[in-house]
Amino acid sequence: MENKKGTGKTALITGASSGIGQELAKLFAQDGYNLVLVARSVDTLHRLAEVFELNYGTAQVTVIEKDLSEEDAARDVYERVQSKGIVVDVLVNDAGVGVHGKFANETDWEAEKSMIHLNVLTTTLLTKLCLRDMVARNEGKVLNLASLVSIMPFPLMTVYAATKAYINSFTQSLVNELKDTNVTITALMPNATDTDFFNKAGASDVLATDMVDDPVVVARDGYEALMSGKPKVVPGGLVNKAYEVMAYVAPQETMAGMMRYTLTPKSEIARKLDERKPLFWAVGIGLAAAAVTGITLAARNRRTLAAD
């Protein structure tokens, strides 16, 4: 019989009804964990529970319907779990939302306030409540969904990026505080991912939606990093790692311009490209000439080195 490493343990996952959260829940179920699934879409959670029980033999799936943007939502979830006698061995703070638009005059404050409550306050309090118990037992794991934009400016989703910067800093500080315990905490820092995130944020037509990663890959990389006790993970391939390096070394204004471009509606980009077509042709020819020159010089240099 296959040895499932999570048998008997419980993982609490917020935002488990879709996207990265759902894929993470599947991985925990496959490894024999009992689950506490938290989201607003209770019908979806119940269907997931049936799938996990049927496909993976999950012994216990507890479904909690909760809007985590509400005041004291985290405490309510924690107390409901405690009342059932459930010990949370792994906490996954996946739930989060974004809001798209210019902060000064396009976005809605109530939506942003709700986002801050969900992304920051609920995550912080739920982590505090569960972490306190984990430290007392000297065992446990936490996975916080940060983002690659937590280390760079992100115009047109300014407040969202700020909430993720908070989560990343919060997590890395806790890594240090927990270093003398058997409790670990990990920041998952994905690039844009193929979920319903952009649609819910009012950004379904932005360029970034053409450059999304697979949530299955993101969840797998996050799960492996969590189980290994790593402080952070940037899932995906070399492109995402390159973005991380650029965020640390490139000028902030350069990064801001690049990231704003990815959040620009594709229709607006197409219009601007059409208006500037002669300019872009000139720039394109110039870049091509520079590239050819660079390749020629590199080849000549290689021949010189070979002769030497």
Side-chain angles (χ1 to χ4, degrees), residues 7 30 46-47 61 69 77 79 83 96 98 100 104 108 130 151 161 164 168-169 195-196 215 252 255 270 277 282:
T7 301
Q30 289 173 348
H46 281 299
R47 287 196 295 271
V61 181
S69 66
V77 168
E79 290 177 350
S83 69
H100 179 264
D108 175 68
C130 292
I151 55 174
K164 292 303 178 181
N168 189 35
S169 176
T195 67
D196 204 30
Q252 290 291 284
M255 293 302 300
K277 194 172 293 181

Side-chain angles (χ1 to χ4, degrees), residues 113-179:
K113 183 171 71 173
S114 177
M115 175 178 62
I116 293 169
H117 207 296
L118 171 58
N119 293 7
V120 174
L121 296 179
T122 294
T123 296
T124 304
L125 180 54
L126 194 55
T127 300
K128 187 176 187 69
L129 294 170
C130 292
L131 205 55
R132 181 181 59 193
D133 296 339
M134 291 178 184
V135 170
R137 299 192 309 268
N138 198 27
E139 182 183 21
K141 296 180 181 296
V142 179
L143 180 67
N144 285 334
L145 188 68
S147 169
L148 201 49
V149 302
S150 67
I151 55 174
M152 63 183 72
F154 204 40
L156 301 182
M157 293 191 79
T158 300
V159 179
Y160 167 77
T163 66
K164 292 303 178 181
Y166 169 88
I167 293 301
N168 189 35
S169 176
F170 172 66
T171 303
Q172 298 314 313
S173 296
L174 287 176
V175 168
N176 178 269
E177 290 186 16
L178 297 167
K179 67 180 182 178

Side-chain angles (χ1 to χ4, degrees), residues 8 37 144 221 250 305:
L37 307 179
N144 285 334
D221 289 356
L305 290 172

